[in-house]
Amino acid sequence: MDLTEATVVVTGASRGIGRALLSAFADRDAAVVGCARDSEALSAAVAEAETAAGTAATVEGGVADVRGETAVERVMETADGVGDTDGIDVLVANAGVNLGSAGESSIHEEPYDRFDDTLATNLRGVFASTKAAIDRMPSSGRILVPSGSIAVDPKPGMGSYAVSKGAVEALVRQLAVDADQTAAVVDPGAVETGLADHGGRDPEDVAPMFVWAAATASADEIDGERVDLRMWKRATHSR
């Protein structure tokens, strides 16, 4: 996919991976629309991306909570007309939360409200974002959803966060068989995003992996699959 003519939507764009992706896609001359709940942080992220990508960059932000379909629909309507051509070419459904303490949130002790809130953002939010975007996407469009090893390799005390990641990967696999567009999970490994208590790679270091999955990776190879560091490095000869 030639990103020069593309429109890319990134949810959860005010921090972490989402913030890095605004700059990474804008640097490839895509028209980029980011959304997040924190208007101040989102404005700073948009300004940062515009500065990094140059004066020709088209980067816009929309305040939206992905748990609300009306707000998400407004973001997608904006994105539909922001590029040189109509439509949305890439959706990175990145918005996510971890409301518990990593390693200390046993699933059988999880409060009902924390379980509901986590699934509302990490699963329903991806569903809502996809549902609002997909009718505006060409069949060549791509839907990318960040995840991690916790979805397939459970660790003690990860609670509803781990459950949400396992569930959203199932959603991606279902999209792959139901939708014309390409849907893939992107697992960049440990990244310093503030969602866990461990360190990891800088978000800017893994942003190229998402750009590769959006623009270069074979649709047949990634549709319904987990794109991990090994696949990316093997394909791009990255270290």
Side-chain angles (χ1 to χ4, degrees):
M1 180 187 299
D2 181 3
L3 291 177
T4 302
E5 298 290 331
T7 296
V8 180
V9 177
V10 180
T11 69
S14 64
R15 59 183 172 85
I17 292 173
R19 186 168 185 148
L21 290 179
L22 291 184
S23 296
F25 281 111
D27 192 52
R28 293 286 297 271
D29 295 326
V32 188
V33 175
C35 74
R37 288 182 289 181
D38 186 330
S39 60
E40 185 174 342
L42 180 61
S43 295
V46 168
E48 181 181 277
E50 289 175 332
T51 300
T55 56
T58 300
V59 187
E60 294 193 10
V63 177
D65 186 336
V66 296
R67 294 174 298 181
E69 56 265 31
T70 301
V72 173
E73 183 69 28
R74 285 199 301 268
V75 171
M76 301 308 167
E77 286 177 358
T78 297
D80 197 359
V82 80
D84 292 335
T85 58
D86 291 337
I88 297 168
D89 299 286
V90 179
L91 168 66
V92 185
N94 169 72
V97 297
N98 184 4
L99 302 176
S101 297
E104 301 178 6
S105 303
S106 298
I107 188 62
H108 59 287
E109 297 174 344
E110 191 87 51
Y112 284 106
D113 59 348
R114 194 164 74 195
F115 184 90
D116 291 343
D117 287 348
T118 301
L119 272 291
T121 298
N122 296 1
L123 177 60
R124 192 182 189 279
V126 173
F127 171 73
S129 300
T130 301
K131 190 173 178 65
I134 203 162
D135 286 342
R136 299 179 168 93
M137 301 182 79
S139 59
S140 59
R142 299 196 177 190
I143 300 161
L144 306 178
V145 181
S147 188
S149 62
I150 194 67
V152 293
D153 183 18
K155 299 291 191 299
M158 293 304 294
S160 55
Y161 179 73
V163 172
S164 72
K165 289 301 181 181
V168 82
E169 291 201 15
L171 173 61
V172 170
R173 291 191 295 271
Q174 192 63 41
L175 278 169
V177 297
D178 283 343
D180 293 334
Q181 294 77 9
T182 298
V185 169
V186 181
D187 177 5
V191 180
E192 185 53 67
T193 63
L195 293 184
D197 63 353
H198 55 71
R201 295 174 179 82
D202 192 284
E204 284 76 14
D205 292 337
V206 300
M209 181 179 178
F210 287 81
V211 174
W212 172 80
T216 307
S218 166
D220 290 339
E221 290 184 6
I222 70 170
D223 196 25
E225 302 295 331
R226 302 182 87 253
V227 176
D228 59 15
L229 283 169
R230 182 177 298 179
M231 180 188 293
W232 174 52
K233 290 179 177 179
R234 186 172 61 243
T236 62
H237 307 292
S238 301
R239 294 185 177 182

